[in-house]
Amino acid sequence: MEFDLRKAINAISDVVQNRPIPLREFDQIYMKVADMVIQAEYVARVFDNKNVVFVGDGDGIALSAAHLKAQRVINYGPQSITLLDFDERIVNSVRRFGEKLSPHIKISSHLYNVADALPSEHFGAYDGFHINPPWGASNDGESVIAFFERGSQATKEKSLGIVVIADDPDLQWTQGVLRDTQRRALELGYVVAEMLPQLHLYHLDDAPDLRSCSCLFRRIDPGCMQPISEPLKSARLENFYGKSSPLRFRYVRERTTLNTDRESDLLYTLEKLEVGNG
Amino acid sequence: MDDKIKQGGLIFMKVGLHAQESIEDIVERKQREFEETGSIFWGYGGNTCHPLTMVQPFAKEVEKSGNQILIVMQKMNSKHAAPPEIAKEYSDDGVDWQPIPKGIEVRGSRYALVLDKLRVEEFDLDLGELQVGIGPSRGRKADQYLVGQADKGCFLYTPQDLPVAQVEQPLKRIGLVANVKAPYAVFLKN
């Protein structure tokens, strides 16, 4: 791969500027910008000319991949991107930014929580999926598996899935979640096609060195596909964000404001400059 | 380290000058708070002890095993001087808010731990015998975890595999101790 790094970082900078502030209570922890460039280019390459669904995307990797293509930093990328996210702030910000990219790539975004069954219009509709879910530090990867299943349900027989999850050989839980995710993927008919280990860093103050990998899965056995999509059972919701940390909220709703994309005027006041006329 | 600490869950925190008030003044004010209301709200900030994602689930798991949560505090000089805004409401889930109970005052903090009586107890805590108990750093040793940006966390006692010479033990001098009680940690707003 060859591309102009300055143009790429400036393109990603546009996406970063468009993102809402992350909510840590929902494990919204943003990837660092250089790693976004790497991931977005990779996503664009893997999903070149494909219709892709992102099940959750606070980082903005979907828009990043699209924007790199639209800005002609790279000459490949998805044909269309659909975002499903439970945070209306993210859904709306992607919709606003996506409209500007519409001549180059079709982007749509919808409010959806993985606890709910996948709406029928998204079932089996896409060529590939991308997830970077809550990493399941204290729940044996339950949250990762829930997102994986939704991504899998949203895709066609010959599907590809990119999974971004924690990967630190010194932290046993990350290796356990990787193993459990791969085990579930095998049950659903996938193989690991490619693994980029310890690739990304995050704005994570209590684990600044914790990295994630990018794991590419390819479905080789459509016979293992789930025939329907059902709501998550209550036992799976109970430890969704970790032990004794249940999934409690369906959506994060955006408060309407006239100040879209600007600092909230509740956070500052203006003080006039008094100019004497003497 | 006594057995109560070894079997329970520990929240370690450094405390110092906060919201333009000395630690001694804060302790005295908090002791009065406990005598008047039976509870103390101990204000703090940062993401490493987030009420919903860290403290509450950690405390529930420890209590399920029949043990207690203790906060152990290391006193230190701090330049931190958040504006002394007084919180007016609190919430244990970030959705339903209630007025701060009469007699309790928390200043300059987004979150508060809910404590019972505060005790002045001095002892050395060996961070080499603690591991992070929850969150993305779960399993990391406390002395490695606390060298970065993190200055507080939820820990469990895990004995060292091999004995460590006393001079090499990463010790922290603890000055204040309290039991943390349900709902363990709450959100605050003014």
Side-chain angles (χ1 to χ4, degrees), chain A residues 181-213:
Chain A
T181 305
Q182 292 184 21
R183 183 185 291 150
R184 183 66 183 133
L186 289 174
E187 289 168 2
L188 291 170
Y190 290 86
V191 292
V192 176
E194 195 169 23
M195 167 75 162
L196 306 173
Q198 299 166 63
L199 190 63
H200 327 98
L201 285 170
Y202 292 81
H203 293 281
L204 186 52
D205 44 12
D206 52 334
D209 301 325
L210 180 56
R211 290 172 190 267
S212 59
C213 62

Side-chain angles (χ1 to χ4, degrees), chain B residues 8-188:
Chain B
L10 283 190
I11 297 173
F12 171 82
M13 202 175 274
K14 293 177 185 172
V15 290
L17 174 71
H18 177 68
Q20 297 159 14
E21 198 181 12
S22 78
I23 186 64
E24 286 74 20
D25 290 343
I26 294 173
V27 170
E28 197 183 314
R29 181 163 61 81
K30 291 293 170 188
Q31 298 287 29
R32 279 201 309 273
E33 227 168 70
F34 177 73
E35 282 156 22
E36 281 178 38
T37 67
S39 286
I40 291 169
F41 277 27
W42 189 269
Y44 68 99
N47 283 318
T48 56
C49 283
H50 190 280
L52 268 188
T53 59
M54 299 285 190
V55 178
Q56 291 179 9
F58 175 70
K60 283 176 191 166
E61 284 300 306
V62 170
E63 290 210 335
K64 261 188 212 167
S65 63
N67 293 304
Q68 281 186 328
I69 307 292
L70 290 176
I71 177 169
V72 290
M73 295 183 252
Q74 178 193 13
K75 290 196 269 186
M76 59 176 290
N77 292 322
S78 165
K79 296 272 185 276
H80 174 63
E85 291 286 333
I86 295 176
K88 296 193 178 84
E89 293 179 88
Y90 78 99
S91 166
D92 62 6
D93 61 7
V95 178
D96 297 321
W97 293 85
Q98 310 177 50
I100 300 271
K102 200 165 175 253
I104 287 182
E105 189 176 283
V106 210
R107 301 178 190 179
S109 297
R110 296 161 64 196
Y111 313 130
L113 290 170
V114 183
L115 314 179
D116 66 12
K117 197 174 178 189
L118 202 55
R119 306 186 292 278
V120 176
E121 276 184 31
E122 298 228 346
F123 61 93
D124 287 328
L125 182 72
D126 183 356
L127 296 184
E129 295 184 330
L130 299 178
Q131 279 189 2
V132 178
I134 191 164
S137 291
R138 187 167 70 85
R140 201 177 289 287
K141 283 193 172 292
D143 53 330
Q144 294 163 7
Y145 176 76
L146 290 167
V147 292
Q149 296 173 58
D151 62 352
K152 57 178 83 68
C154 301
F155 301 102
L156 294 169
Y157 171 74
T158 313
Q160 302 267 26
D161 298 335
L162 296 168
V164 177
Q166 200 164 6
V167 288
E168 290 174 13
Q169 289 172 348
L171 300 178
K172 294 284 180 192
R173 189 73 185 160
I174 299 302
L176 289 169
V177 179
N179 287 344
V180 185
K181 63 179 190 177
Y184 315 108
V186 292
F187 298 90
L188 303 173

